[in-house]
Amino acid sequence: MTVGTNGSPRAAAAAAIPPQPLPAAGPGPAAAPVSAGTPGEVPAAGTVPGLDPDELPDGLVVADEAGRVVCFNRAAARITATDPATALGARIEHALPLEDLEGRRWWTVTDPYGGLATRTGQPERYLLLPGGHEVLVSARYVRERPAGPLHRLVVSLRGTEARRRTERSHAELIATVAHELRSPLTSVKGFTATLLAKWERFTDDQKRLMLETVDADAGRVTRLIAELLDISRIDSGRLELRRQPVDIATAVGRHVQALTANGQAPERFLVRIGRPLPDLWADPDKIDQVLGNLLENAVRHGEGTVTIDVAPAHTKTERGTAVTVTDEGPGIPEESMSRVFTRFWRGSKRGGTGLGLYIVKGIVEAHGGTITVGRGPGGGAEFRFTLPVGAPAYLS
């Protein structure tokens, strides 16, 4: 594939440079191997005939054996704010003036053309463009033969926004976990130290109260650790499901009974079951986790009657069991709807880690289902999740 032959300014700038066969277009330099046995030959395997470098999502910059740029795609122009017509034909260090985070010129430090001939490239790292703009840069050194002179330098550029968002999310998660763990662990440590030091001074009722507090705080820590494990498995796609037949109507009834046993008025809950319900194969523990989170949110943050509708779902896009939990509270502001299932969203009332609904969404989607949030008939929040009809593969 010859780069820059479509009549663009890039083509005019590159016309004075002897054409160089480009690496196979792919996701970065790693997809651009050159056969060591046949100089300059691009392997046919994995190539896409007629692929324009401008179609690549990442920035691609290619320099020839003399260090002059012969390819500068549209993504590279966007990331570096450089006109391709200016970059093409220029020396790589002028077209792409990169510095490391300590202010050293990257091309001088790495010396791709004059350094060790055994090197094959540079791993991805943060570098700076003029003005302090950060980019992620990796490089591949293409040689016609092992330890031979550099035949082509292929550089991949990526913006740092997505990586920085992930890093901020991880930092926020660590800060939240540290904050949530500190309070119960301080309580556990304080009460146990007090009991050990002054056991004889307390009455049996006082000892029981302190031990009950320790037990409650230990349970809080256990739940937080379980949430962290769930998030890790959801993010890595390793959430395991142990599917078996689940009676969703019975599960809803069990959760309502637990809430009334903890002091909620029975008349606050309205359960409506639409039958016949399709067979549901799911992980019962995970479904309990979803129901428990949604009902506790409705009780804690909502008002009035909490309505739970369980009905078969038969639409063009859904086929399975749909569960809807609605309250009569103030509802969720329209501008917050898109953030409900993100990490650390807590709504207008503080409390909790803000991880519950993120985990709920991950569990439902791991079952192949969907979950949505909206406004109920009474103005409160309405959560609806659908679990598809299905059975384990060994029964299909």
Side-chain angles (χ1 to χ4, degrees):
M1 177 180 65
T2 303
V3 176
T5 58
N6 53 5
S8 64
R10 183 178 60 192
I17 303 170
Q20 300 292 333
L22 284 188
V34 174
S35 171
T38 310
E41 181 182 356
V42 180
T47 60
V48 181
L51 178 64
D52 191 327
D54 286 340
E55 297 173 2
L56 297 176
D58 294 338
L60 175 67
V61 180
V62 181
D64 62 13
E65 67 273 10
R68 297 193 177 276
V69 175
V70 295
C71 175
F72 201 89
N73 74 346
R74 185 178 291 120
R78 172 179 52 79
I79 293 170
T80 62
T82 300
D83 184 359
T86 302
L88 285 164
R91 297 279 305 178
I92 184 70
E93 61 268 23
H94 299 148
L96 206 58
L98 296 168
E99 295 183 352
D100 63 19
L101 300 183
E102 297 178 1
R104 297 173 300 185
R105 296 185 181 276
W106 194 55
W107 300 115
T108 302
V109 172
T110 58
D111 192 13
Y113 289 90
L116 291 174
T118 56
R119 295 178 303 170
T120 59
Q122 294 289 337
E124 188 174 69
R125 66 189 66 195
Y126 288 104
L127 294 174
L128 300 176
L129 288 165
H133 180 62
E134 249 185 3
V135 289
L136 283 165
V137 181
S138 58
R140 173 74 179 273
Y141 300 164
V142 180
R143 305 180 190 276
E144 293 184 346
R145 63 182 185 278
L150 192 62
H151 176 64
R152 187 184 299 116
L153 175 62
V154 183
V155 181
S156 174
L157 305 174
R158 289 199 297 152
T160 62
E161 294 80 6
R163 179 75 62 86
R164 290 301 189 195
R165 281 196 299 269
T166 301
E167 291 175 351
R168 284 195 298 269
S169 178
H170 289 166
E172 190 173 356
L173 178 61
I174 292 171
T176 300
V177 170
H179 175 76
E180 293 294 329
L181 285 174
R182 182 183 302 155
S183 176
L185 289 178
T186 300
S187 171
V188 168
K189 178 63 176 175
F191 278 121
T192 53
T194 301
L195 286 170
L196 288 171
K198 303 176 181 179
W199 179 267
E200 297 82 4
R201 300 185 186 182
F202 297 108
T203 66
D204 288 345
D205 288 342
Q206 289 173 326
K207 293 174 183 176
R208 176 176 292 276
L209 177 61
M210 285 191 280
L211 288 174
E212 287 175 347
T213 304
V214 168
D215 182 68
D217 286 333
R220 180 178 167 189
V221 171
T222 301
R223 288 191 298 272
L224 178 59
I225 292 174
E227 285 184 345
L228 294 175
L229 289 173
D230 285 336
I231 287 178
S232 173
R233 290 164 183 154
I234 289 169
D235 288 346
S236 62
R238 295 185 293 106
L239 187 66
E240 294 183 2
L241 301 178
R242 294 174 173 84
R243 294 181 185 266
Q244 53 186 281
V246 173
D247 187 338
I248 191 73
T250 300
V252 169
R254 186 170 62 252
H255 280 276
V256 170
Q257 288 177 358
L259 289 169
T260 55
N262 287 333
Q264 295 295 325
E267 57 270 17
R268 189 176 180 187
F269 300 95
L270 173 61
V271 180
R272 298 185 296 209
I273 309 295
R275 297 188 185 275
L277 293 173
D279 293 336
L280 175 61
W281 284 77
D283 187 319
D285 293 336
K286 296 292 189 290
I287 298 304
D288 277 341
Q289 195 172 347
V290 171
L291 291 173
N293 193 291
L294 294 181
L295 290 175
E296 287 177 12
N297 277 351
V299 169
R300 184 185 307 161
H301 303 293
E303 298 172 2
T305 302
V306 177
T307 303
I308 306 101
D309 288 296
V310 183
H314 295 296
T315 67
K316 292 181 178 179
T317 58
E318 296 176 330
R319 182 172 175 267
T321 302
V323 179
T324 307
V325 179
T326 311
D327 64 67
E328 297 177 344
I332 299 170
E334 197 70 31
E335 62 273 13
S336 299
M337 291 283 189
S338 61
R339 296 186 287 110
V340 166
F341 297 109
T342 59
R343 294 181 183 180
F344 314 117
W345 185 85
R346 296 183 177 90
S348 57
K349 297 182 181 179
R350 304 295 291 180
T353 60
L355 301 174
L357 290 175
Y358 178 83
I359 294 172
V360 163
K361 182 174 184 289
I363 291 174
V364 171
E365 291 181 346
H367 281 85
T370 58
I371 184 167
T372 58
V373 61
R375 191 171 295 278
E382 178 182 277
F383 288 89
R384 181 180 187 272
F385 69 91
T386 303
L387 299 173
V389 172
Y394 65 86
L395 292 177
S396 301

